[in-house]
Amino acid sequence: MPHTPPSRRTLIPAMVLALAAPAAIVVHAASAVADETASNDAEAEDGPAAGTLLLRGQGVARSLPAVRLGTDMNVSVTGQIARVKVTQAFRNTSKTWMEASYLYPLPQDGAVDSLKMVVGQRVIVGHIEPREKARETYEAAKASGRKAGLVEQQRPNMFSTMVANVGPGETVLISIEYQAPVSQANGTFSLRLPLVVGPRYTPPHTLTSDPAVEDANAVTSTPVLDPKLTRKLKGGLNPTSISVHLAPGFGVANLVSRYHRIDVAGPSDSRTVRLADAAVPANRDFVLEWRSASADPTLGLFAQKTDKGAYVMAAITPPANLDGLPRPPREMVFVIDNSGSMGGDSMDEAKASLIHALGTLRPQDHFNVIRFDDTMTRLFEHSVAATPDQVALATRFAESLEAQGGTEMLPALKAALEDAGTAAERPGGNDPDILRQIVFLTDGEISNEREMMEAIGSDGGRSHVFMVGIGSAPNDYLMERMSTIGGGVYTHVGAPGEVAAKMMPLLDVLSHPAVRDLSVRVEGGSLDLTPSRLPDVYAGRPLVLVGRTDKLAGILTVSGKIGDKSWERRVDLASALPSPAIEKLWARRRITDVEADRALGKLEDGRADAEVERIGMESGLVTSRTSLVAVDETPSRPAGARLTKEELPIELPAGWDFDTLFGQDAVQAAPGQGSGDLAAMQTQALELPQTATGFLGLVGKGFALLLAGLTGLALLLRRRRA
């Protein structure tokens, strides 16, 4: 019989909040958050991005910030690569000098390589330096009163930007550029632009753990603003505009925006997509999907030639129809997150997804269900046959779950990976051919990602891990890495209406054998390939290989087995289409390989850091060991003028329940905080123009397009209506 779920608990005492958002400005001024703890003094010198782990009483901002922020995203998709320019403008409406820091998420495979800071008519261009040196350069500029910008990686999918010496009434624009691959599954191409990161739970044991287990510098603690305080703000706390120029190399069909209304213009092979609303709140990721208008798009092989050699990207797709192959019995372990961060729509989506999956079990299958918050319940002592009675019991168990407590994911993962029961009780005894699959339903909002990967790596490939990201802003990096290391795939369910549409293809994948025992060879040439550990490949989901070679020649052959049958695909490297983006994609993937080897204990920290720094410097990328820094040589802050502190809180991800996460009494109006203050904020807030505003030359020829667009944006950002 299942254990009785624990009584409902308050989440706050168990949580360490590590928050980030694309517009999470941290402007250093002491009055913005009324509920600051005694750790403020220690935090003041380096700011939240320095990585101090804070056990906050609430982690809630009680008053609206003075700093006004707006974000514009301009995206160009060419082939299977997206180039993204993120322009963020903030205005210092106070009478004091400010140092501002904001945090933002990236796609899990995104590569940041450009920083430009615009102040008035000046454009300051950033350059890459080793992390410590870049920080020293920034701090020296800050101390001398010069404007400076710094971009640092906090996690592989989370970056922070700091801007020093912003004067009273001044508007500063920061332009950051990154690129990321477009994903593909079952013939659908998908572009995902993360706009928000939800609160992350940090298990208490990592507060004192070895740095090799959990890098404290990766954790931040930005407060969350109660959505009730921003409900009447047009565009929310951080209004965001988005435009996408879509040129994938073929005619586009079935163009869909999953969570935002859009306007579409242009021919089928060169679409322009804009938000139907001029600006939207940064509280939900933007997802754009499309298919090819032809049955057989000529896409899948790209190359870039540089003075360092040639880089190639190949997408190899296995057969889409595997219905003729046998479907072996399976042992399926479902793990569902019912922690406090899942409150609201996320819990409904997770429960519906689990119930849907339970309904697809066959009599020859075995299964179990594990639920977790900061405690854990295993429904059965060991996996049981999927009889109608047992499935019905599991369904009732799923329906009874409520969101509560912290997010202790690691014990649940270890419980799912272990073979519970005796050999006689386990499905197939010790038969290694029994397919063991773990389906994990969670938002992944935890900070001990490295421990999770270590646990999967120690399983030795016995289990295949399939991650289902739940909610408007799941931790994609954790989901992708756990799926890749665990030999599975990642699926995102972002809204209640998507459960069937997203779970059915995943469950179909789970019922078919993967292409296994993969190997790659190049006849007539050589390739330094990434990923170094080839994953299993499933029907309709391509294997994307990126390699570096001295000469772009030869036949690339990928081979493996589907069941007991051999499978092979061959492509001629000389037929690759040109692309300017493969080198940085290769570098980002190679860094991911290094970090995976570190997490799995195959590479010690010193060697891993050195290799990441070498690749980052060589390719001009922001990494855990390299940063972008920009310094204006003209001093602006008068001698003796102090920098003050203010934290601009982030939006709560759409669909999250604020009261479940923080407690119903988390926010009480601060003195003077009422409808009058909200009305004042509405009149002072920023408005963004619609993207694709015409650019005119304002400065030197090299920066004409950038500066004109950014300056026009800054002027329009001053106009915010109620």
Side-chain angles (χ1 to χ4, degrees), residues 487-712:
V489 297
Y490 168 49
T491 298
H492 174 222
V493 178
E498 291 184 352
V499 170
K502 292 298 184 71
M503 291 300 295
M504 286 178 63
L506 173 63
L507 294 168
D508 189 55
V509 163
L510 290 170
S511 68
H512 289 92
V515 182
R516 309 193 70 177
D517 301 328
L518 282 168
S519 64
V520 179
R521 67 181 186 275
V522 179
E523 302 167 9
S526 63
L527 274 178
D528 179 8
L529 283 171
T530 178
S532 56
R533 299 173 69 249
L534 294 178
D536 291 345
V537 181
Y538 295 86
R541 295 172 180 261
L543 169 65
V544 179
L545 298 170
V546 186
R548 182 170 66 176
T549 180
D550 294 332
K551 183 181 179 182
L552 193 62
I555 303 297
L556 174 68
T557 302
V558 179
S559 58
K561 284 190 173 183
I562 305 177
D564 58 355
K565 295 183 178 180
S566 297
W567 172 84
E568 184 178 278
R569 286 290 183 272
R570 296 162 59 88
V571 292
D572 185 352
L573 296 180
S575 65
L577 299 174
S579 170
I582 310 302
E583 177 191 359
K584 294 186 186 299
L585 177 59
W586 179 88
R588 183 74 256 173
R589 289 283 188 89
R590 178 59 76 205
I591 290 170
T592 299
D593 282 346
V594 172
E595 296 294 356
D597 286 344
R598 185 208 300 262
L600 297 175
K602 297 181 178 181
L603 196 62
E604 57 94 16
D605 284 340
R607 289 180 57 199
D609 285 344
E611 182 64 7
V612 169
E613 183 173 315
R614 184 191 67 78
I615 297 172
M617 292 297 296
E618 181 181 272
S619 301
L621 298 181
V622 177
T623 70
S624 61
R625 299 299 310 152
T626 53
S627 304
L628 277 166
V629 62
V631 175
D632 186 359
E633 296 304 322
T634 305
S636 57
R637 177 163 55 92
R642 294 185 57 191
L643 292 178
T644 53
K645 289 187 106 169
E646 178 181 85
E647 289 192 12
L648 181 68
I650 65 169
E651 298 269 10
L652 191 71
W656 285 40
D657 187 281
F658 185 86
D659 291 337
T660 298
L661 187 64
F662 293 107
Q664 295 184 4
D665 299 324
V667 174
Q668 298 175 359
Q673 183 65 50
S675 59
D677 296 292
L678 180 58
M681 182 174 180
Q682 289 179 251
T683 61
Q684 297 178 37
L686 293 173
E687 272 191 4
L688 286 171
Q690 292 204 11
T691 317
T693 301
F695 293 126
L696 304 174
L698 294 180
V699 292
K701 190 173 181 180
F703 300 114
L705 292 178
L706 169 71
L707 187 56
L710 296 184
T711 303

Side-chain angles (χ1 to χ4, degrees), residues 27-110:
V27 182
H28 301 288
S31 61
V33 180
D35 188 42
E36 291 298 290
T37 67
S39 61
N40 253 359
D41 293 339
E43 186 186 355
E45 188 65 27
D46 293 322
T52 304
L53 287 168
L54 299 179
L55 280 166
R56 289 183 179 272
Q58 296 179 342
V60 174
R62 296 190 177 200
S63 58
L64 296 170
V67 174
R68 302 295 177 259
L69 175 70
T71 301
D72 177 77
M73 305 183 75
N74 194 295
V75 186
S76 296
V77 176
T78 305
Q80 287 183 297
I81 300 292
R83 184 74 184 174
V84 184
K85 179 188 292 183
V86 181
T87 300
Q88 293 192 303
F90 63 89
R91 185 170 76 249
N92 177 7
T93 62
S94 73
K95 297 180 180 180
T96 59
W97 287 80
M98 296 285 190
E99 179 192 17
S101 172
Y102 58 85
L103 298 103
Y104 57 97
L106 290 178
Q108 61 89 20
D109 220 357

Side-chain angles (χ1 to χ4, degrees), residues 219-453:
V219 182
T220 55
S221 55
T222 304
V224 175
L225 192 66
D226 188 340
K228 291 189 286 292
L229 298 180
T230 59
R231 191 167 293 158
K232 296 182 180 180
L233 293 178
K234 185 177 181 181
L237 186 66
N238 172 26
T240 303
S241 65
I242 300 172
S243 69
V244 180
H245 309 283
L246 188 60
F250 53 80
V252 170
N254 303 111
L255 183 62
V256 176
S257 170
R258 284 287 174 186
Y259 313 117
H260 298 84
R261 297 188 306 116
I262 57 173
D263 292 327
V264 181
S268 66
D269 60 347
S270 183
R271 296 285 197 188
T272 297
V273 179
R274 295 186 179 89
L275 292 174
D277 302 311
V280 297
N283 63 357
R284 175 184 287 280
D285 294 352
F286 176 83
V287 177
L288 190 68
E289 296 179 351
W290 63 93
R291 299 179 69 89
S292 170
S294 63
D296 185 22
T298 57
L299 184 66
L301 188 63
F302 296 90
Q304 178 183 6
K305 295 180 180 179
T306 73
D307 55 2
K308 291 176 284 189
Y311 297 82
V312 62
M313 180 178 73
I316 311 297
T317 304
N321 187 355
L322 302 178
D323 289 338
L325 294 176
R327 302 187 181 192
R330 302 163 298 169
E331 179 188 4
M332 301 188 70
V333 181
F334 300 99
V335 184
I336 183 169
D337 179 353
N338 69 292
S339 64
S341 67
M342 296 285 289
D345 291 347
S346 295
M347 195 70 249
D348 294 337
E349 293 161 22
K351 289 161 63 173
S353 297
L354 173 55
I355 292 168
H356 185 91
L358 290 170
T360 66
L361 290 169
R362 303 166 302 172
Q364 63 267 39
D365 295 331
H366 285 65
F367 80 103
N368 205 345
V369 178
I370 298 172
R371 69 103 215 142
F372 72 93
D373 43 40
D374 49 57
T375 64
M376 183 188 73
T377 302
R378 184 188 280 122
L379 179 59
F380 306 108
E381 289 301 319
H382 54 81
S383 294
V384 298
T387 64
D389 288 346
Q390 302 288 41
V391 171
L393 175 61
T395 300
R396 293 194 298 272
F397 177 69
E399 291 171 341
S400 70
L401 296 177
E402 295 183 4
Q404 57 188 18
T407 314
E408 292 287 349
M409 189 183 296
L410 186 60
L413 174 62
K414 289 181 175 179
L417 290 170
E418 70 183 15
D419 289 310
T422 66
E425 293 169 328
R426 290 194 297 268
N430 288 318
D431 185 354
D433 292 329
I434 294 293
L435 194 58
R436 195 164 194 277
Q437 299 171 333
I438 297 172
V439 181
F440 225 106
L441 302 113
T442 177
D443 56 16
E445 299 297 359
I446 59 172
S447 64
N448 59 326
E449 296 151 324
R450 191 164 162 183
E451 288 185 322
M452 302 294 291
M453 297 175 199

